[in-house]
Amino acid sequence: MKKTIQFPNGESVLNLGQGTWKLGEDPSKHDQEVDALRTGIDKGLTLIDTAEMYGSGKSEQLVGDAIKPYSREDLFLVSKVYPHNAGEKNIFQSAEQTLQRMGVDELDLYLLHWPGSVPLQETVDCFEELKRQGKIKNWGVSNFDLEDMQELLSLRNGENCQTNQVLYHLASRGIEVVLRDYLRENNIPMMAYCPIIGQEPDLKDKVYNSPTIKNIAKDHGISVIQLLLAFVMQQEQTIAIPKASSSDHVSQNVDVLDISLSKEEMSLLDEAFPAPNERIPLRVQ
Ligand SMILES: NC(=O)c1ccc[n+]([C@@H]2O[C@H](COP(=O)([O-])OP(=O)(O)OC[C@H]3O[C@@H](n4cnc5c(N)ncnc54)[C@H](OP(=O)(O)O)[C@@H]3O)[C@@H](O)[C@H]2O)c1
């Protein structure tokens, strides 16, 4: 279902973007992956998520190659800094290298990849300094559980956080217990990574073969993967960032913008893959 998601600073994006973990690592797939990302951009998936970690910069480089023909203002570029680089000693160099690899002057969002040992206030101060320098428009976090978010929002300028990027898919719904409510109360949209269970082959098999999933997908004339994506995209204040390395896959994901699941279908999915009853620690990949 197509939705517009608004960040606290007022900027809006579509609820579907493009992930890039593992893209750019195999030179023989370079052109195909560039085509895939461009197919997405041409079809409106202008939010692209990468990280300095991915392929040690190769993903950022691939994104840089893919976005060359486009106007910068038509794109929404997100990258992430390693926690060990997220302090005043390294972050300015990290950000500069990210910008160079992507061939742009400024990121739309710069995220702390996961909580680390650099004091959080130092990271926030550095993000704010990067904003002043015009290197990033805004910043956010990733893999932050409830207590991490509470700490962040208690800090000077912590309220400037624009998003929390977390693992979320139909078979991993722990965030629904408390974290999601906390983010909503504070008006912070969530970016859902691994929305189609990309990194868990065993779980993937179980979910993909569920009769409930197969039946609902069949009723809509879509694949089970498209159904998984539809489930995530139907959630409030949630941006799904599936990674796809072929134009065909990207196009199939774009088609999900037109899929709307009924209340009954959502209830059936709930029954087959319920959220946990109690809080569990945030899962990470
Ligand atoms: N913040 C974090 O810590 C964190 C952690 C993990 C991921 N992420 C971000 O989230 C993004 C998405 O997560 P992910 O890449 O781990 O997993 P994912 O998006 O759930 O799944 C990716 C897998 O799905 C396949 N796929 C995509 N579209 C498809 C389609 N229409 N039909 C069939 N298969 C399809 C891809 O295959 P092909 O490649 O062959 O198309 C790939 O194998 C990452 O790329 C990254 O940007 C962030």
Side-chain angles (χ1 to χ4, degrees):
M1 184 190 282
K2 187 173 185 170
K3 294 188 187 193
T4 301
I5 308 298
Q6 198 174 42
F7 291 110
N9 72 345
E11 273 191 285
S12 301
V13 292
L14 193 62
N15 60 339
L16 181 63
Q18 304 192 72
T20 64
W21 190 16
K22 308 211 169 124
L23 294 188
E25 294 182 19
D26 179 350
S28 72
K29 294 191 178 148
H30 176 273
D31 292 356
Q32 179 198 316
E33 292 173 353
V34 164
D35 280 350
L37 287 172
R38 286 182 183 168
T39 299
I41 297 169
D42 292 340
K43 289 175 184 272
L45 308 192
T46 52
L47 184 152
I48 302 179
D49 175 76
T50 182
E52 66 174 345
M53 183 187 100
Y54 299 165
S56 302
K58 290 190 176 128
S59 162
E60 291 178 332
Q61 239 155 12
L62 183 90
V63 173
D65 290 345
I67 63 176
K68 269 189 193 126
Y70 299 91
S71 298
R72 177 65 187 86
E73 59 270 23
D74 293 338
L75 303 164
F76 192 96
L77 301 176
V78 185
S79 193
K80 310 183 207 79
V81 61
Y82 267 124
H84 63 260
N85 285 338
E88 52 193 22
K89 186 159 168 268
N90 295 334
I91 197 168
F92 300 102
Q93 196 187 0
S94 269
E96 201 55 55
Q97 287 170 345
T98 285
L99 292 172
Q100 272 177 22
R101 285 190 288 260
M102 296 174 79
V104 295
D105 297 330
E106 188 180 43
L107 289 175
D108 292 283
L109 266 184
Y110 199 30
L111 310 183
L112 172 60
H113 209 148
W114 62 87
S117 57
V118 172
L120 201 47
Q121 184 67 68
E122 183 179 333
T123 302
V124 172
D125 290 345
C126 291
F127 280 150
E128 291 292 323
E129 176 56 26
L130 284 165
K131 270 166 66 175
R132 276 190 289 277
Q133 293 178 3
K135 304 287 180 188
I136 66 172
K137 274 203 186 118
N138 279 293
W139 59 267
V141 295
S142 176
N143 297 304
F144 266 43
D145 207 340
L146 178 68
E147 291 74 13
D148 306 312
M149 284 309 305
Q150 286 170 330
E151 182 193 350
L152 178 63
L153 294 191
S154 74
L155 299 177
R156 180 178 60 246
N157 292 322
E159 74 281 3
N160 292 342
C161 173
Q162 302 295 312
T163 192
N164 185 13
Q165 187 180 113
V166 291
L167 174 72
Y168 182 66
H169 54 67
L170 179 64
S172 183
R173 303 176 57 183
I175 58 144
E176 289 183 30
V177 181
V178 289
L179 179 61
R180 189 166 75 170
D181 288 344
Y182 185 78
L183 293 174
R184 284 182 185 168
E185 280 157 20
N186 287 284
N187 228 350
I188 298 175
M190 184 180 102
M191 264 189 218
Y193 73 72
C194 301
I196 45 185
I197 327 186
Q199 307 303 326
E200 298 169 273
D202 294 344
L203 190 55
K204 205 167 169 173
D205 280 351
K206 187 179 151 210
V207 177
Y208 288 14
N209 289 311
S210 140
T212 308
I213 305 266
K214 283 184 175 171
N215 287 337
I216 300 175
K218 196 168 158 221
D219 288 346
H220 282 272
I222 58 177
S223 70
V224 293
I225 290 179
Q226 288 174 303
L227 177 60
L228 288 179
L229 195 51
F231 169 81
V232 174
M233 288 167 60
Q234 193 122 339
Q235 309 298 322
E236 295 298 313
Q237 284 291 81
T238 302
I239 304 153
I241 49 165
K243 168 257 186 183
S245 43
S246 69
S247 290
D248 278 355
H249 281 174
V250 172
S251 298
Q252 287 162 22
N253 297 345
V254 170
D255 288 344
V256 179
L257 289 165
D258 296 326
I259 303 295
S260 181
L261 302 174
S262 67
K263 266 192 183 157
E264 292 71 27
E265 288 168 334
M266 289 299 267
S267 300
L268 288 170
L269 293 175
D270 263 341
E271 270 170 42
F273 294 96
N277 291 323
E278 292 182 353
R279 188 177 166 198
I280 54 170
L282 183 65
R283 297 184 64 229
V284 297
Q285 288 294 318

